[in-house]
Amino acid sequence: VQLQESGPGLVQSSQTLSLTCTVSGASITTDYYWSWIRQSPGKGLEWLGAIGYTGSVYYNPSLKRRASISRDTSKNQFTLQLTAVTPEDTAVYSCGRATQRPVTTTSRGSWGQGTQVTVSS
């Protein structure tokens, strides 16, 4: 399986961050949790949420309902939207195929290369 993140690398504070993960080599409707994580210096890995193969969605409560994950099965893609961003949301965002939730390590599962998102104040 291959996963590729896409989206803007720079977002203004208070705006909405939107990233898309394009999946090839596997269908997002057959098993696994299709997940989003982010990593930043000093904060480590943070699981943001996931959409299951049935379409059920799961979120990290710490995001206080700012995150929304959806999917387009016709394109085999899933999307993350994060509202009201601040510079604290600056990180490398990665999408992946995970066997559990929440994700605590990328040593298991399959992950995209990640994309840097910077939130400007």
Side-chain angles (χ1 to χ4, degrees), residues 4-118:
Q4 179 66 57
E5 305 88 354
S6 60
L10 182 65
V11 183
Q12 301 286 332
S13 284
S14 81
Q15 299 300 304
T16 297
L17 179 163
S18 184
L19 296 172
T20 296
C21 183
T22 300
V23 180
S24 59
S27 171
I28 63 173
T29 62
T30 55
D31 215 345
Y32 299 106
Y33 295 104
W34 301 91
S35 307
W36 287 99
I37 62 170
R38 66 184 179 185
Q39 301 183 77
S40 57
K43 290 187 178 180
L45 186 153
E46 181 179 20
W47 176 74
L48 304 178
I51 185 164
Y53 67 98
T54 63
S56 297
V57 290
Y58 312 89
Y59 300 108
N60 185 332
S62 71
L63 295 175
K64 299 180 181 179
R65 300 186 178 184
R66 294 194 296 129
S68 177
I69 298 174
S70 60
R71 66 181 184 176
D72 185 336
T73 57
S74 68
K75 296 180 179 178
N76 215 34
Q77 295 175 331
F78 60 104
T79 299
L80 168 72
Q81 290 194 320
L82 189 64
T83 62
V85 296
T86 72
E88 291 289 304
D89 293 308
T90 294
V92 175
Y93 287 73
S94 301
C95 63
R97 184 181 76 173
T99 57
Q100 63 184 33
R101 56 174 178 88
V103 171
T104 58
T105 175
T106 57
S107 64
R108 284 180 281 184
S110 301
W111 296 92
Q113 63 181 16
T115 185
Q116 173 70 46
V117 177
T118 300

